[in-house]
Structures are given as structure tokens and as C-alpha cells.
Amino acid sequence: MTQEHAGPGLAKAYRPAEVEGPIYERWLAADVFAPDGAGSRADPAKPPFVLIQPPPNVTGSLHLGHAQRSAVEDLMTRHARMQGRAALFLPGLDHASIAAQVVLDRIIAAEGETRASLGRDRYLERMWRFIGETRNLMLAQQRRVGASCDWGRLRFTMDEDSSRAVREAFARLYREGLAYRYETLINWCPGCRTSLSDLEVVATPETGTLWTIRYHLLDEATGDPDHAATISVATTRPETILGDTGVAVHPDDPRYTALVGRRVRIPFVERDVPIIADAVVDRAFGTGAVKITPAHDTDDYATGERHHLPFVDVMDDGGHISAAGGHYAGLERYAARQRILADLQSAGDLMASTPHEMVIGRCHRSHDVVEPRLKTQWFVRTKPLAEAALRATRTRRTVILPERFEKVWEHWLTDIRDWNVSRQLWWGHRIPAWYCPDGHVTVTADAAGPAACEACGRPPAELTQDPDIFDTWFSSGLWPFSTLGWPRATADLARFYPGTVMETAYDIIFFWVARMMMLGIHFMEDAPFEVVYLSGLVRDPYGQKMSKTKGNVVDPLEAIEESGADALRFSLIHGAAPGNDQKFSAEKLENARNFANKLWNAARFVLGARPSTTPPDAVRSAPDAARLGPAERWLRSRVAAAVVAADRALAEYSFGELTRVLYESIWGEYCDWALELAKVRLADETLPAADREATWWTLVEALDTYLRLLHPVMPFVTEAIWDETPRAAGDPALLIVADWPAAPPADAAAEAEVGALLELVRALRNARSEARLDPAAWLAVDVALPSSLGPAFDTLAPALERLAHARPLRRVADADALRSGAPGGLAVVAGPIEAMVHPLAAGAEAAARDRARLERELAGTETQLDGARARLADERFVAQAPAAVVERARARAAELEERVARLRASLEG
RNA sequence: GGGCGGUUAGCUCAGUUGGUUAGAGCGCAUGCUUGACAUGCAUGAGGUCAGAGGUUCAAGUCCUCUACCGCCCA
């Protein structure tokens, strides 16, 4: 594409598939994505713009949510780049520890393998092979969306730099006493065979069963069970009977006072346990007596600690009963439950069973019921870190958008509990802790491991590394600085930390944003970003979350192939507000595609309408102000308004507003009016060439500005058109690095004059339509207008004729002259302008319809006038409202009065 | 149990610090092969802004309560 082929060189319809690929290649070749690339035009005096991409999970293809977020991230990056800031959009991929294992487990299952059959080393090999395949696919998808990432700085959460950062971060936390190893009750997923953080457990309301079970008290004399003396307990989990080490009642419960201190025999495991009194027991629940299983229940754990009860773990890692469960050993936990219930039944000790509404914790990956279990795990002490994160948001060092999320942020960080970072998985960062046979712990950031046991000096050969890996969010939490080279003191780290914006979906605000804030502030002594922009979720047209299992996932590539990347981006940004979910629909996509096509065709017209006197390679400069007509001045003023509105929307991160402004300006003003007004003038050979040139340059200037404003949202089509658009001196070769436009001054007079004349065109069209006159007929129209509009009218009359399909459009002296002409005309009132349309053949029917139209208009206007008068009659309004508001109300009332008078005159005349 | 959000045209959604006549897209109706575009053009119909109360000269917008829908935390 070259300038010589401008206009005619553009195809009749915009075909994104032919345009997008080559343009992306040109951007890459020009090296404009990197803030320090050869093609960068960044001003070193301006602050850099840094957006580290939330790394998508490397496990699969991208969905519409990714496309939406890439679009928003890219929009911000491109805007900043055009403002002359060094803009870093750093891409990445996440190894997604547990999520990846779930995916790979499914794949190898289809191959007849299991994690166990492969073993750790071969499993990890298989994983690297798998992500080698998905990785390139995912990166290609991002390019198709148009993301202007600095691919040279691409990072992976499992690459060497990230590993170094993870080891260093953990070693420092350990030294500072912020990481510790401890045995306690943790969340265990038997399906994933790993512990989970509290966030990964999903509280699920379910209807279970509450069973009442009878335990036999021991005869105090013989120590044998007394078949007559029993205590009944209520439980939803009979299988945990095997781990019971106590029965508890409320200390003030008279039903049981006499039993406290007695012992009962736990059936099947034949364990004798005490009846204890503890205020934690809810007397109203079940029988008022509860079994205590300290190793399998959070509340029981605390009770067990208070009363020094033994902790008996009766399950294994796969959720089967362990050897501690006697002859139930080996049974899956729910099978064991059924067997135990049956055995209780036959023993006569199952007293009742009732449906019970309860909340069950399930694994957010596998949906297995999470088992509380006693395990030794690594924890991060979060309290001090969370306080620092709260300070950052409270002082507005970091702002969360939309602001309402700051409330949940406050709440969660205030009540935060320590973070279990150990996972019993294979795919992830190995915990850099080594244990010696004496139980000493050595933590080191050294990739080679410790030189000796820190405590007793035993050689490395006698030390064993912790088999566990880190929660995937631990490495993610370091992302804002690990990506920049930390812990090494790199130039990137100095220049690009802290970042500017963190864009992510609101559903991972705790998983991720909170951890980045905590760890960023801790290690870098400054919050990792200025703004947290939380996107909503993209749902299907019915409001459902998109998921592979539901089969309602829309592949962004399909949408791109169908309608183009720009259309997809626009449709995902248009009408969306931060933090609000949005439904994706084919109609929105189609509308966006139509918009791209509209812009394309407008450009095709403008570029093809170059006056013959203007050379094809002419350098663009501001049009000659002395030769601008009212339409040109009007357009320039409207463009200025668009720049102001776009700047405002961007400053407020209101990207839906940005697209709304641009759509309305480009389609509703530029295409619908400015181009149509210009057509006549451009074709008018009687005008001096310089006038026609000034008109054309005004159109080109406006197009150029719109392209710049729209580029961050629709980068491909704008770049393609700009390639054909005359450049100004100093413009770069590519729009992506062109300057963001500055708003030219507004022209209030031109806006008022042309605005009134366009209103006349609308009123004439309306009159013709309402009277059902022949749409093809050129109708003679007389116009009476205030003298202030005279010059603009005279200049624009030929264009107005064309737009209203009215010819001749004659200016008459005043309204009386209007009515003194031939009878049978249709009266039209448009603001301060009055007109009389003369139908070719005066029909009684048309006249009647026209009368009805005028009467409707009069009635509506009178209603408005009544309202305006009532308002002004209110003394309190006049006294208390701001003077400007009152003034506007007065002007409004005066205008309505005039309008009513004109309509009345028209009806009478 | 605690908290947050939503309820605006047939559908999907915007709506700035309260201030003219509440907007858009799609859909609908009536027309139009007007030389950039039928992926288009013109005109039109369609809303007591969930309900009730309050603050204010003025409320879709602020406050209180209610109903329904959704989400988060426990």
C-alpha cells in the first residue's frame, strides 16, 4: 500500500483477514513494541508506563475473557505509547501448578497412564512437552488479538529467573521469621492429593444427613461398656468416628452434667475417650452432645487442643481409611461411611437420621470434598504483610478500580490468616528447604542447595530436600518484580518498578492482587502498581460463565476470523464498565465489525476525493483558516470535542465511554454530516481550488485525529487507513508511534450556526416523511431564518439542498413572507428557523397529515413550556438554584415560547 | 450470619460532581439500488428509570426501608 494508490487502493469492504497479519508484521519489524525498541519514539523525560500482563495459564487456549483483558491492557499501553511515554507491556505465561496437573492428568489418563505409573521425573518431562505445545499456540493467539507486547521480555513463571526469585523470596521470608513450618489442620484434597489454601476451598451449600449415634458409657467399676448407659451424639460424618478422641457437652447443660468426666467406648476402634464440658458446644444442635475428632474437623481441633485430646488421623492421602481405622482400613471414605452406618444399625446404635442443610468445602479444581487433615506444612505469616498492603490502599498509593472493591479488600486483608504455601504436587517450584536426619531445617536460595546443615553441619549428601512445591500463587505474587530481574539489580527493575497499572479479573483479587501487594511492598519497599484495574467476566449470551464443560466457550480466534480483531476488541470494550460482568453476543460483534467497515469506507471516500489540484504526496498541514466555511469550522470544533471527551474517558479508565464517544463522533457526526456537507463543496468547480483544498484538508485532518483516537481500541484498521492518509511533517511511518492528538480550540459560533441548519434538515426530512411525500421528489422550500444564520445558510445552501432533497431552498425575508406564498405548503419549525415546503401537487391528504404533525409538535412544545414556566415561577428555584442554572432555564423558556408562537402561526397561516 | 453489586426501551447495556426534552446498539415499523459504505441511508414508534418513603428549589443520580436477581466472605 502506498500513497499513490490512496483511495482507490482501499477495497470496497474492509477485509480484516487480509489486513491484520501484515500490519502486525510491520509493527514487529519496526520494533515499536519495546519501550527501548529501535522504533520507539518515547520521550525520556516522561514517566514510563508499565503494565505487566497477568500471565494466562499455559495449559490451554485463550478464551474471550483473555481477549477482553488483552484488549484493555493493549488499549492502555497503546495510549501511553502515543503520549510519548516509554510503554512496557510485558507478556508472560503461568505454569499454573495445580490447574496444569489437573489438565495433564486427564491427558495421560487417555494415554493409559497415571501420575503414579509415570513417576515424578517422567511426569514432569511429559508436562514440559505438553506446555511446549500449548505455549506457542497461546502466544500466537495474543498476537492475533493485536497485543503490542514486548515479546523480547516474555517471561514464564517457571523460567530460571522466576525460580531464582522464588528461592530468594522464600529464603528471605524464612530468615525474617515470616515463613515457618508447622503441623496443623490443613485443607486436603484427596483427588488432587495436596493441601490447599483457604482460598482454594469453595464453601458449597448442600443437603446432607445428620445421624444420631449412641455411644456406650464405661461402667466405672469394671471399665467395660455399660449397655444400659449411653450418650447420643449427632454427626454428619460417621466415618470420622474412627478418629474420635472425646465427646463434648455444654458445661451448663443439665442433661449431661452428671456424665461429664465419665468415659465412653468408641465402637469399631474400641477406644475409650472422656466426656468433656466445653462452652463451644451448641446445646440446641442435635442431642446437645457432639463427638470430637480433632484430626478431622476445625472446631474439634481447637477443642482437642484445649482438652489435650489425642489427634488420630484415620485417612490416607487418597481419602481412604488408614490403618488407624481398624478393619475399615483401605475403604474409600464414603464407602466406609456406609459400612459404618450399617454396622451401627445392626448394633442398634444408629438412633436417627434426618436431612441436614450444611456447607461443605470443596476443592475449587477437582470439586472433591476437602478433608481437614493434620499435616506439617510451610506457612507465610501474612499479618504484617497485609497491614502494609492496607496502608498502600488507604493512603491511595495504590487505587483499586472500581472503588467498591476496596471494601472487600479491606475486609479480607484485615481478617487474613496465614498462608499455607506447601503443595504436595510435582509441577511447580520446589521448596528450597532441606532436612537432616536430626530434624534440622536448612533453607537456602542457592540453586545448588545448601553446603551443609545449618544447625549441625552434616554434608549435603545426608540432607533431604522437601518434596513439596509452592502454591502457584507464590511465584505469581513475585511477578511485578521477578519479571524485571529481581533479585538481581537490573536496569529494568530500576526503571520499571513500580508498575503503572495492574489489569486483572476481579475474581482473583485475593489470590493474586493481594499477594502481589504484600510481597511487592515487602521486597521492593513500594507498592507494585499505582492502579489496580479490575475487569468483569465475559459471560455467554445467557449470563453463564463460559466453561469447556458447558460447551459455551467462544474461541476468540473464531470471532477474529469472522469479524476481525478490531471488531472483537471494540465489542469487548464497548458498553463495558470495570468490575461489571458483560454478556458476549454475536450482535455486538457484528455492530463492531460494521463500525470498522464504516470507518474504512469513510476513509475510502475522503482519500478518493482529493482535489486534482492537490498532489498525491502533499504533506498534510492545517487547512487555510481563511478559506474554511461554516461546515469546516463546525467539523473542527466537533473533532476538538471528541479529543476532549476521549481524554477524559481515558483519564477515568472509562473505556466503554471512550468507544461510545468515538462511535458517535465518527459515525454520527463525521460520516452522517461532515462528509455529506463536504461532498457538494468538493464537487463545486465554481469555487476557487484553494477553497476546495481547504475543505479536503479539513476532512483529512479530522480523519487523522479520529484514527489516532481510535487506534488504541482498533489498532489494525486505523493503522491500515493511516498508511494511506497524507502525513504531516514529523509524523512517523506508523500510527502506533504517532503522537496522541491535542485538542484544537472549540468554535462555539460554528457549532451553533451549523447545528441549527442541520436541525432544519432533520425537520424537513421529518415533514416529508410524515406527509408521505415522494421520497425521490425535489421539493421547493422557502426558509425564513434569523439574520445571524444568514451567511452560514448562504454558504451551505447547496449542501443543505442535497441533504434535505429540497431544491430550490430559497431564503425569504421573514415568516410572513413564508406564509404569503402559494397555498398548500407544509410548515416546518426548526428551532429559530421556519420553512415552508411546497409539495409538487398540493394534496388535501398530505396537508391533513402535515397539520396533524404540527399539532403534535405544538402540544409537546406547550407541555414543555408549561414545565419550564412553572419552574421559573417557583421563587425558591430562582432564589436558590445557581445563577447559571436559572439563566439556562430562562433561555429555555424563551426559546419554547418563540417556538410555540411559530407553530401557532404556522397552523393558522 | 456479615458484606457488595444489580433492577433504566421488546433484548443487551451506558448514564460524569443531583440541573434543559433519560441515551446507544440490536430488534421493530415505514420507506430508500442518493456516485464511501445495503456491513448502508432516511424517518418513526417504544421508558411513571423495581416498589414505598425521605432530603432538596430540583432525584435515574443522595438517604432509609421492601421485593427480586447475582456475587463475595464466614
Side-chain angles (χ1 to χ4, degrees):
Chain A
M1 288 187 263
T2 59
Q3 296 261 318
E4 282 72 26
H5 300 103
L10 298 178
K12 183 170 175 180
Y14 175 54
R15 286 195 287 270
E18 292 169 15
V19 169
E20 292 174 354
I23 286 186
Y24 201 86
E25 290 305 318
R26 286 184 64 189
W27 288 331
L28 287 174
D31 196 8
V32 287
F33 291 168
D36 43 11
S40 171
R41 296 177 77 233
D43 177 352
K46 290 181 176 167
F49 173 88
V50 181
L51 192 151
I52 314 278
Q53 185 188 39
N57 290 357
V58 72
T59 52
S61 58
L62 300 179
H63 53 68
L64 273 186
H66 290 115
Q68 190 251 357
R69 300 212 288 282
S70 292
V72 168
E73 292 156 15
D74 196 47
L75 185 167
M76 291 189 267
T77 305
R78 285 177 185 268
H79 174 233
R81 187 184 288 122
M82 291 177 78
Q83 285 180 310
R85 298 171 71 178
L88 172 61
F89 182 8
L90 191 150
L93 292 167
D94 194 317
H95 68 282
S97 171
I98 188 167
Q101 284 205 200
V102 169
V103 172
L104 187 64
D105 287 357
R106 219 176 291 143
I107 290 170
I108 60 173
E111 296 166 357
E113 300 278 1
T114 65
R115 225 187 282 171
S117 74
L118 285 179
R120 187 164 189 154
D121 290 345
R122 282 178 58 209
Y123 184 84
L124 291 179
E125 266 172 44
R126 183 72 186 80
M127 181 66 87
W128 280 106
R129 194 146 52 84
F130 169 58
I131 66 164
E133 293 159 11
T134 53
R135 176 193 163 96
N136 289 330
L137 181 72
M138 298 182 65
L139 297 179
Q141 281 178 312
Q142 296 213 48
R143 294 188 174 106
R144 288 294 300 279
V145 172
S148 61
C149 302
D150 182 354
W151 297 109
R153 284 183 169 90
L154 174 72
R155 291 293 307 274
F156 178 46
T157 56
M158 279 275 280
D159 62 22
E160 189 38 50
D161 278 3
S162 290
S163 298
R164 182 188 300 117
V166 166
R167 290 192 305 268
E168 179 69 26
F170 184 71
R172 285 199 199 175
L173 289 172
Y174 178 70
R175 278 203 304 276
E176 293 158 348
L178 291 169
Y180 63 94
R181 192 166 178 253
Y182 185 61
E183 183 185 54
T184 187
L185 213 55
I186 51 88
N187 309 301
W188 182 266
C189 174
C192 303
R193 290 176 179 253
T194 181
S195 61
L196 304 170
S197 69
D198 295 338
L199 278 175
E200 290 160 302
V201 180
V202 182
T204 322
E206 289 177 26
T207 305
T209 306
L210 187 65
W211 287 280
T212 308
I213 290 159
R214 193 168 68 172
Y215 286 169
H216 294 266
L217 274 73
L218 295 184
D219 185 309
E220 287 178 296
T222 65
D224 288 328
D226 180 342
H227 292 285
T230 60
I231 183 167
S232 290
V233 297
T235 182
T236 57
R237 305 202 51 204
E239 66 279 13
T240 61
I241 285 173
L242 306 173
D244 279 359
T245 59
V247 168
V249 297
H250 194 277
D252 303 332
D253 192 336
R255 291 173 294 178
Y256 299 115
T257 317
L259 297 183
V260 173
R262 296 280 301 270
R263 295 177 77 79
V264 301
R265 176 153 298 174
I266 302 301
F268 316 125
V269 288
E270 309 301 322
R271 184 185 302 121
D272 297 340
V273 307
I275 297 174
I276 57 169
D278 195 299
V280 80
V281 178
D282 177 2
R283 275 173 283 185
F285 179 81
T287 58
V290 291
K291 58 196 271 317
I292 302 295
T293 320
H296 288 284
D297 182 276
T298 320
D299 292 333
D300 292 4
Y301 177 84
T303 311
E305 287 215 307
R306 279 196 296 277
H307 296 272
H308 309 291
L309 300 176
F311 293 70
V312 181
D313 184 344
V314 296
M315 282 186 210
D316 68 12
D317 289 355
H320 294 73
I321 303 300
S322 68
H327 66 276
Y328 298 98
L331 280 178
E332 194 278 328
R333 52 186 169 158
Y334 294 108
R337 172 182 294 182
Q338 294 312 317
R339 184 76 62 82
I340 285 169
L341 286 168
D343 291 347
L344 285 168
Q345 178 87 51
S346 45
D349 290 328
L350 183 59
M351 311 308 291
S353 72
T354 51
H356 183 65
E357 297 306 319
M358 52 198 289
V359 176
I360 289 182
R362 287 184 177 270
C363 170
H364 90 314
R365 287 287 164 200
S366 71
H367 307 297
D368 285 297
V369 174
V370 168
E371 194 68 46
R373 290 185 72 205
L374 209 51
K375 286 269 184 185
T376 301
Q377 303 272 291
W378 283 100
F379 290 87
V380 169
R381 204 180 301 283
T382 45
K383 209 76 191 168
L385 303 178
E387 279 165 11
L390 283 171
R391 269 197 300 280
T393 47
R394 285 174 187 161
T395 57
R396 315 227 12 111
R397 171 69 187 88
T398 298
V399 175
I400 299 178
L401 298 176
E403 287 186 28
R404 65 171 184 272
F405 280 94
E406 285 190 15
K407 286 176 192 161
V408 286
W409 171 265
E410 276 277 334
H411 196 258
W412 191 77
L413 282 170
T414 305
D415 294 337
I416 195 165
R417 291 196 282 169
D418 283 356
W419 175 18
N420 175 0
V421 293
S422 304
R423 293 293 177 274
Q424 289 66 50
L425 301 167
W426 290 347
W427 174 240
H429 295 285
R430 191 92 174 254
I431 294 177
W434 281 259
Y435 311 116
C436 88
D438 296 329
H440 301 134
V441 178
T442 305
V443 171
T444 176
D446 194 329
C453 173
E454 224 167 49
C456 63
R458 278 175 189 266
E462 292 180 36
L463 307 181
T464 318
Q465 186 176 3
D466 195 314
D468 289 354
I469 59 164
F470 282 106
D471 180 354
T472 192
W473 297 105
F474 187 76
S475 50
S476 305
L478 310 174
W479 193 240
F481 45 101
S482 68
T483 47
L484 300 173
W486 187 90
R488 292 174 296 131
T490 61
D492 272 9
L493 191 62
R495 185 164 183 218
F496 299 126
Y497 190 96
T500 314
V501 178
M502 168 51 59
E503 185 284 340
T504 191
Y506 66 75
D507 60 345
I508 53 174
I509 183 171
F510 305 136
F511 277 109
W512 195 37
V513 181
R515 270 89 180 248
M516 284 190 287
M517 282 286 277
M518 292 194 290
L519 295 172
I521 294 170
H522 184 71
F523 290 113
M524 297 298 298
E525 292 172 358
D526 195 359
F529 20 73
E530 296 165 15
V531 172
V532 176
Y533 179 96
L534 295 171
S535 287
L537 308 179
V538 180
R539 297 173 180 275
D540 77 2
Y542 306 100
Q544 304 273 324
K545 252 189 185 177
M546 290 191 185
S547 78
K548 280 186 183 162
T549 47
K550 282 186 201 135
N552 61 351
V553 175
V554 176
D555 180 355
L557 289 189
E558 275 176 34
I560 289 172
E561 266 149 39
E562 218 176 273
S563 308
D566 290 325
L568 179 63
R569 293 166 64 117
F570 189 92
S571 71
L572 290 170
I573 292 167
H574 192 55
N580 285 2
D581 293 353
Q582 60 170 317
K583 291 173 194 159
F584 179 78
S585 71
E587 289 78 13
K588 274 176 91 168
L589 183 64
E590 194 184 336
N591 177 239
R593 180 198 60 158
N594 294 352
F595 179 50
N597 186 62
K598 185 75 179 174
L599 176 65
W600 178 266
N601 272 291
R604 202 159 69 91
F605 166 72
V606 171
L607 299 176
R610 173 170 48 78
S612 53
T613 49
T614 303
D617 58 351
V619 172
R620 181 174 67 79
S621 57
D624 183 351
R627 295 191 176 272
L628 296 181
E632 289 73 23
R633 291 194 290 123
W634 174 83
L635 174 59
R636 297 188 94 198
S637 193
R638 293 313 303 154
V639 171
V643 174
V644 170
D647 278 340
R648 181 181 179 147
L650 281 162
E652 292 172 351
Y653 296 85
S654 303
F655 306 129
E657 173 71 4
L658 173 71
T659 53
R660 197 194 61 71
V661 164
L662 296 178
Y663 185 97
E664 172 57 24
S665 302
I666 292 171
W667 199 319
E669 294 178 346
Y670 191 60
C671 294
D672 287 350
W673 295 110
L675 296 189
E676 297 303 326
L677 287 169
K679 276 176 184 173
V680 172
R681 197 161 138 108
L682 284 172
D684 188 348
E685 300 286 336
T686 65
L687 288 173
D691 281 8
R692 281 180 278 129
E693 285 173 14
T695 295
W696 188 71
W697 281 117
T698 303
L699 295 184
V700 171
E701 177 191 62
L703 176 65
D704 173 90
T705 303
Y706 288 134
L707 292 174
R708 288 171 200 251
L709 294 176
L710 191 57
H711 178 78
V713 181
M714 301 183 110
F716 291 107
V717 68
T718 51
E719 186 76 83
I721 296 169
W722 205 67
D723 193 46
E724 304 280 343
T725 308
R727 303 294 156 78
D731 273 341
L734 290 165
L735 177 58
I736 186 174
V737 285
D739 293 341
W740 186 252
D747 185 335
E751 292 217 29
E753 290 164 17
V754 177
L757 294 173
L758 298 185
E759 198 52 53
L760 170 66
V761 171
R762 274 192 214 98
L764 291 174
R765 285 169 171 176
N766 171 252
R768 177 202 291 270
S769 172
E770 291 282 320
R772 296 191 201 153
L773 301 182
D774 177 6
W778 287 91
L779 304 175
V781 175
D782 294 333
V783 179
L785 70 174
S787 57
S788 62
L789 293 178
F793 177 86
D794 293 342
T795 309
L796 294 178
L800 300 175
E801 283 179 341
R802 184 188 143 92
L803 286 171
H805 213 62
R807 186 176 295 154
L809 200 55
R810 279 184 305 252
R811 191 173 157 200
V812 298
D814 54 29
D816 293 335
L818 217 51
R819 284 183 270 280
S820 62
L826 311 183
V828 167
V829 177
I833 306 177
E834 285 187 66
M836 189 67 74
V837 180
H838 299 286
L840 295 181
E845 206 189 331
R849 285 201 200 97
D850 188 53
R851 195 169 173 82
R853 172 180 63 83
L854 284 172
E855 278 166 354
R856 269 204 317 275
E857 255 181 69
L858 176 61
T861 311
E862 280 178 329
T863 307
Q864 287 172 30
L865 178 58
D866 288 348
R869 278 181 174 154
R871 208 157 156 228
L872 285 167
D874 186 342
E875 286 170 25
R876 291 173 307 174
F877 169 69
V878 178
Q880 293 179 51
V885 173
V886 176
E887 199 37 58
R888 247 179 304 169
R890 286 218 173 90
R892 169 86 185 138
E895 197 184 309
L896 287 168
E897 264 169 43
E898 270 188 58
R899 190 172 161 75
V900 165
R902 283 197 205 97
L903 284 164
R904 284 220 176 97
S906 298
L907 277 164
E908 282 154 18

